[in-house]
Amino acid sequence: MDDPRSWSRAREDLRRGFRSWRLWGHLGWNDIRSRYRRSLLGPFWMTVTMGVTTAGLGSVFSLIWHSPAATFFPYVGTGLIVWAFIGGCLSDGMGSFTESAELLSQTSAPLTVYVLRTVWRQTLILAHNLIIYFVLLAFFFRRLHEHGYTMDGQACGTPDGMVCHPGLGWNTFLVLPGFGLALAGGIAAALILGIVATRFRDAPPLIGAIIQLLFILVPITWPLDKLIQNAPGKAWIIELNPLYHYVQIVRQPLIGQQLHWWSWLVAGGLTLAAWTVALVMLRNYRARVPYWI
């Protein structure tokens, strides 16, 4: 008899899960439809909410940080959009199995299906929120396309230490591999957190608090350029936050900002490590998850 904790069972679960795209695709889309059933705008309420949040935070913090709206609004908006996807994969990932308890008890679908359902749902939310990005792009394209723009609206090099960004161009297409890494990392993280949260019911509040702390340490409502300019050599503190690098590799290309190779390296290494842990946990605990529900 094949050992339920074998690597072959884990690989088969992954293979069957990704091949069942019709199932998790339908489940994820139905989650969105159910959430906004009988509402006037339907899922586009997510877009409206993101737009209002971007306008509010952008207006307030652009005054606090003395940054022009043409650069700060896209900075905040894209940061919030990217974080909503990453944070959603983590927070909703913890409920991947518990929210599907009925399906788990009635079907023999692989565990990967429920994780992909969660990540697909977050991808649909991201697609709706991207409307806000294109609205911002329509308003501020001229400024973001300018070669050598700064977050303060000053000329590059004045004062010393001012961070200059290349502006929108071919580098914008780097968002594709960036999102690919974020998506891969999100699937692995949702699988890990889903198993942990199913086994230890006290884990979600603790993990949720950690996610909130990591959000504060990600430069979304405050410009990283200010830290680099005013406290040279201290940016490494922010780089200790693993989620910072995922936000950077997706956001920076979207607004034509300078992206360091270090963020690519860290995000790639974290994704590889996350998948290693996810595979080990899938091998060891996939047969136990239905009994923990």
Side-chain angles (χ1 to χ4, degrees), residues 181 184-185 188 246 265-279:
L181 270 179
Y246 284 103
L265 184 62
V266 173
L270 288 173
T271 301
L272 181 61
W275 269 105
T276 301
V277 175
L279 287 172

Side-chain angles (χ1 to χ4, degrees), residues 3-70:
D3 185 356
R5 296 178 60 181
S6 66
W7 289 110
S8 61
R9 289 287 186 94
R11 289 193 299 268
E12 180 64 13
D13 189 288
L14 283 173
R15 187 184 66 82
R16 289 180 55 212
F18 279 98
R19 290 183 61 180
S20 302
W21 59 270
R22 290 184 179 87
L23 176 57
W24 51 260
H26 171 74
L27 291 173
W29 177 243
N30 190 62
D31 290 340
I32 298 295
R33 293 180 58 187
S34 299
R35 184 180 303 178
Y36 296 96
R37 186 168 292 163
R38 297 184 181 178
S39 64
L40 182 63
L41 296 180
F44 289 99
W45 274 115
M46 296 181 293
T47 307
V48 173
T49 301
M50 181 59 69
V52 171
T53 304
T54 298
L57 294 179
S59 299
V60 172
F61 284 98
S62 64
L63 294 176
I64 292 175
W65 298 110
H66 304 288
S67 296

